[in-house]
Amino acid sequence: MITWYDRFNGKLVKQLPENITSGRYAAQDSCIFNGYSNIQPDDFLISDGTEKFHIGSQVGSFIHNEKTEKLETELEIIESAILAYQEAVDLGRDSSFLIPDKLLARFELTKFEELLVDVLKKGHLQEIARRPRMELIYEEHLVPVSRAKKVASSANAHLASHSECWQTRTLTGVIPKQILALESEDQLNIYENRVYVKLLGKIEQYLIKRILEVKKLEEIFKQAVNFQSAKDIYFELRDSIFTLWGEGFSDDEQVDDAAVYGIATLELLTMMLKRVRILQHSGLYLSLANKVHVSLKLNMTNVLSHDQHYRHVARLWNSWLDTQQSNNLDPKQIFQRNKKLSAAYSQYCCDLVNRTLHELGFNELTPNYFKRNENQTIYLEVTAASEIVLKASKQSLCFVPCFTNNIDLSDTVAMESNQRVLLSFGDVAEMSKHHLCTSPINFYSLEQLAILISKWLVSQAFQALGSTISKAPSALVQMLIRTNADGYWKVENNSVTIIKPCLAIKPKLLEFKKEHSRDVSLDQAVGAIVEATERFEELLYCPCCGVKADANQWLPRDDNCFAIRKSGCNHKWEVNRQPDGTSVLVIKPAKLSEPDFSYKFEDYGRYLMQIKL
């Protein structure tokens, strides 16, 4: 039996569920997927487009949500951006975590669209709708002699055997009352017209999708440009996002040109869609719309090859077919493409976490080893299952990249207790503290990561608040009382509680420890106090950017609370006691007078936080 690693929960499982998320499980042994692809140890179980999996005796399906045209368009943009990011990394070029300049090409007309513009402009499709080719079909009908225009060749034989059609009989023959005549009928249902009608339907679907794509890209570019001059957004957040966006472009003119191209292309595509829909109301289209059966491979008849109008139908058909080649992949090709996308997305997420640490004030001293201030260090590790693990002190935080938007959110609840966070490109509105939207089209991906990492670090650093060293030796207690002129600590019943940063007293403590080196209990107590003072010192560092405030800026309050209102950065932070007895850390911009948490996350990001301690 094959063993699988559940990346969401960090556990090994023997049996896969009937319905699974693509990329959730990593194989621990070699196996065959759906009868054609080899899966090696640590490879992910990824969808191949059939939405089914068959491995040994295990059969099931991937979680699949019905995708709208808009969702499909967003997914294609995300995939293109992720592949462009990976390509830039492989070539050693600068790359952006948001939409890269390579996608500016989507604003330009494709060869098929240029051909369609030309054909519509010259009126070839309109002329076919106005005067379509028809096939003249003759059918035999029994009609009065006065109405007969063309007599059928079988009229005499029919008249000889049907006396009821005679008017009178003469010596030489009969005078007919009714006769078998030929009547012509124009038939529109010819192959060339069926191709024309089918083509109009295909063009309409293509243009709808392209318009959605250009609209989405234009919306993204417009949102990015708005960050440059947004007045409602806190300036540090605005500058951070706009800088992140600008890294994908070599100059500002690219963005300006993209906006111009986008508007022009959108207007042209919309105009063409309108014209195609007008053609779909023609008599030719309406008469054949429900009778169209045409294979993708075109049969080049004389009409499609040489007619002055119909030959452009063939040109458009073949050009449209070229645009569909990339979509006509078999399951094996889709599996390999999704495997490549999954690996690229894991790399993207890892680099984004790395960048987030730099934004939070950490410096990478050696590969994957980060340090902020004198004590706070983080080690970044990427496991064989592509989990991104941050390790600090005795705690860890694990990010699990999963390249999918089909997530069963009820499954992610168990991740919270294990300090595991799922990264996917699902709906931003459905995100939570254990499931983040990390995507090139989400301008706040880095902000969400920054808040999560900051809260994780705060949960460790602020444990120093209220920490007490109990049963301190009397000699040490007396020494602490004598040196407590600045109110560094509170001493009660041989218990010492630090209430203010006091790293400046560390040399005296070490000297006292040296003088009493033979006293083991005193030695241990002094060591515990020194360690507590070092951890307490971390509270002077800004949780947003890591800048250190002066110790004289510490404003002590009751119940182990404090405030730092003037630091060396643009932020202030304080711990307040709540009516229910809990403590809350508030981080806010220095110029924000009242911390009103009705403010939107989109306006302040990580620069306005409230963290329950």
Side-chain angles (χ1 to χ4, degrees):
M1 170 110 22
I2 300 168
T3 303
W4 299 89
Y5 178 67
D6 185 347
R7 300 173 65 236
F8 284 13
N9 296 324
K11 298 177 181 179
L12 294 175
V13 295
K14 293 287 186 181
Q15 183 73 30
L16 291 172
E18 186 176 346
N19 296 305
I20 66 173
T21 297
S22 178
R24 172 169 181 169
Y25 295 93
Q28 301 301 289
D29 308 290
S30 300
C31 58
I32 304 296
F33 171 68
N34 283 359
Y36 60 80
S37 288
N38 291 319
I39 293 183
Q40 301 299 324
D42 297 322
D43 283 353
F44 300 159
L45 186 52
I46 295 174
S47 172
D48 63 354
T50 64
E51 307 304 337
K52 303 289 183 183
F53 68 86
H54 181 198
I55 301 171
S57 60
Q58 299 188 78
V59 178
S61 60
F62 292 97
I63 295 174
H64 176 67
N65 297 333
E66 290 298 325
K67 295 185 178 72
T68 61
E69 287 280 353
K70 183 178 180 181
L71 196 58
E72 286 280 6
T73 301
E74 285 188 6
L75 179 57
E76 289 184 10
I77 291 174
I78 292 171
E79 289 180 352
S80 299
I82 291 295
L83 291 175
Y85 177 85
Q86 186 63 52
E87 181 183 347
V89 170
D90 292 341
L91 295 175
R93 297 202 309 258
D94 291 337
S95 52
S96 172
F97 292 107
L98 299 175
I99 297 297
D101 56 359
K102 189 174 182 179
L103 265 66
L104 293 177
R106 300 288 183 94
F107 283 131
E108 299 174 6
L109 291 178
T110 64
K111 290 182 179 179
F112 169 67
E113 291 159 3
E114 289 175 347
L115 176 60
L116 181 59
V117 169
D118 182 62
V119 172
L120 286 172
K121 184 177 180 181
K122 292 179 179 177
H124 295 297
L125 298 183
Q126 294 91 323
E127 189 63 24
I128 293 173
R130 192 171 68 88
R131 298 176 60 187
R133 284 241 182 185
M134 292 178 286
E135 185 177 7
L136 199 61
I137 298 176
Y138 287 96
E139 293 184 356
E140 295 180 348
H141 296 279
L142 191 63
V143 297
V145 174
S146 61
R147 287 179 52 194
K149 294 181 180 180
K150 188 173 183 179
V151 178
S153 58
S154 59
N156 289 338
H158 179 271
L159 197 60
S161 59
H162 293 79
S163 57
E164 70 274 9
C165 294
W166 299 352
Q167 180 73 35
T168 59
R169 183 175 181 179
T170 65
L171 292 173
T172 57
V174 297
I175 297 175
K177 179 174 61 174
Q178 292 178 311
I179 195 168
L180 203 61
L182 289 176
E183 291 189 349
S184 63
E185 181 181 350
D186 293 332
Q187 178 62 261
L188 291 172
N189 191 15
I190 62 174
Y191 176 72
E192 291 80 4
N193 287 340
R194 291 200 302 272
V195 171
Y196 171 81
V197 170
K198 188 76 171 180
L199 177 65
L200 289 182
K202 295 295 185 185
I203 291 175
E204 182 192 28
Q205 294 174 5
Y206 174 89
L207 290 176
I208 289 173
K209 189 174 181 179
R210 271 288 281 151
I211 288 172
L212 284 172
E213 180 185 54
V214 175
K215 277 185 176 179
K216 183 61 181 179
L217 284 171
E218 189 181 27
E219 176 188 323
I220 293 170
F221 274 75
K222 185 178 179 180
Q223 186 182 0
V225 172
N226 288 342
F227 274 109
Q228 190 174 18
S229 56
K231 295 180 180 179
D232 296 333
I233 298 177
Y234 179 56
F235 81 95
E236 283 191 290
L237 174 62
R238 182 188 64 208
D239 294 347
S240 174
I241 293 178
F242 195 74
T243 300
L244 203 66
W245 162 263
E247 290 173 357
F249 303 90
S250 56
D251 55 62
D252 293 338
E253 291 183 5
Q254 283 185 299
V255 181
D256 296 335
D257 292 342
V260 175
Y261 283 136
I263 294 172
T265 299
L266 190 58
E267 289 177 351
L268 198 53
L269 292 172
T270 304
M271 178 271 294
M272 289 193 292
L273 180 60
K274 183 178 179 180
R275 290 188 179 183
V276 167
R277 283 177 168 168
I278 290 174
L279 292 174
Q280 289 178 321
H281 285 84
S282 66
L284 172 59
Y285 186 91
L286 293 175
S287 63
L288 297 180
N290 298 322
K291 306 176 185 177
V292 178
H293 299 287
V294 180
S295 62
L296 289 177
K297 186 176 181 181
L298 211 56
N299 180 19
M300 292 301 295
T301 63
N302 284 333
V303 173
L304 290 175
S305 298
H306 305 295
D307 184 272
Q308 62 174 331
H309 301 303
Y310 279 87
R311 65 189 180 90
H312 296 289
V313 172
R315 290 175 63 206
L316 283 171
W317 183 278
N318 290 325
S319 181
W320 167 80
L321 201 58
D322 288 341
T323 68
Q324 304 302 303
Q325 294 303 318
S326 60
N327 298 328
N328 298 328
L329 302 177
D330 60 37
K332 188 173 183 178
Q333 292 172 315
I334 294 174
F335 176 77
Q336 292 300 328
R337 185 173 186 273
N338 288 344
K339 187 176 178 180
K340 180 180 179 182
L341 279 166
S342 184
Y345 183 67
S346 295
Q347 178 69 53
Y348 169 86
C349 290
C350 182
D351 292 346
L352 186 60
V353 171
N354 189 309
R355 173 60 177 269
T356 304
L357 291 175
H358 283 94
E359 290 282 324
L360 290 173
F362 283 88
N363 296 313
E364 192 169 7
L365 303 180
T366 58
N368 297 330
Y369 182 75
F370 299 83
K371 190 166 186 177
R372 183 174 76 174
N373 65 55
E374 289 133 7
N375 298 322
Q376 212 164 40
T377 58
I378 289 180
Y379 179 71
L380 186 151
E381 177 188 1
V382 180
T383 68
S386 295
E387 300 158 311
I388 305 161
V389 184
L390 300 183
K391 297 180 179 179
S393 301
K394 298 179 180 179
Q395 304 213 18
S396 63
L397 177 64
C398 180
F399 295 104
V400 185
C402 195
F403 190 75
T404 184
N405 64 341
N406 298 324
I407 299 291
D408 182 2
L409 292 176
S410 63
D411 255 357
T412 61
V413 176
M415 299 177 68
E416 183 177 2
S417 59
N418 298 328
Q419 289 287 303
R420 301 175 74 81
V421 181
L422 177 63
L423 306 180
S424 75
F425 51 90
D427 188 354
V428 176
E430 297 179 349
M431 295 299 103
S432 64
K433 57 186 175 182
H434 49 266
H435 183 196
L436 302 184
C437 173
T438 308
S439 163
I441 66 173
N442 179 16
F443 285 85
Y444 291 88
S445 293
L446 187 145
E447 290 304 307
Q448 290 176 325
L449 283 170
I451 287 178
L452 198 72
I453 294 173
S454 293
K455 289 183 176 180
W456 173 66
L457 291 170
V458 162
S459 68
Q460 300 174 58
F462 280 72
Q463 288 178 359
L465 271 180
S467 60
T468 299
I469 295 89
S470 58
K471 298 181 180 179
S474 299
L476 176 59
V477 170
Q478 293 302 317
M479 179 267 184
L480 294 175
I481 292 174
R482 290 195 304 271
T483 57
N484 197 26
D486 294 319
Y488 291 130
W489 38 67
K490 182 172 61 176
V491 181
E492 291 180 348
N493 301 323
N494 284 34
S495 293
V496 181
T497 302
I498 299 176
I499 58 175
K500 188 176 178 181
C502 53
L503 197 62
I505 207 74
K506 180 180 175 180
K508 290 185 179 180
L509 289 171
L510 294 177
E511 183 180 347
F512 183 79
K513 179 182 177 180
K514 186 178 180 181
E515 292 174 357
H516 300 79
S517 57
R518 293 184 180 181
D519 190 330
V520 176
S521 60
L522 192 146
D523 182 83
Q524 291 177 346
V526 172
I529 292 176
V530 169
E531 182 183 350
T533 60
E534 291 174 344
R535 287 192 290 113
F536 208 89
E537 191 76 5
E538 291 183 14
L539 305 182
L540 288 172
Y541 292 88
C542 176
C544 274
C545 60
V547 171
K548 187 178 182 180
D550 291 332
N552 58 13
Q553 296 299 329
W554 181 280
L555 301 175
R557 293 175 175 171
D558 294 337
D559 300 319
N560 298 315
C561 296
F562 73 93
I564 292 181
R565 299 294 180 85
K566 295 180 180 179
S567 63
C569 60
N570 295 310
H571 322 120
K572 52 187 176 183
W573 58 101
E574 58 190 36
V575 174
N576 300 321
R577 178 71 76 181
Q578 302 299 296
D580 61 0
T582 60
S583 296
V584 172
L585 169 66
V586 177
I587 306 161
K588 56 188 176 182
K591 294 183 179 180
L592 186 65
S593 56
E594 293 297 329
D596 184 353
F597 284 93
S598 63
Y599 288 128
K600 294 180 181 178
F601 159 75
E602 290 80 3
D603 293 338
Y604 285 91
R606 66 181 182 269
Y607 301 102
L608 180 59
M609 285 190 287
Q610 184 172 254
I611 306 171
K612 188 175 181 180
L613 300 178

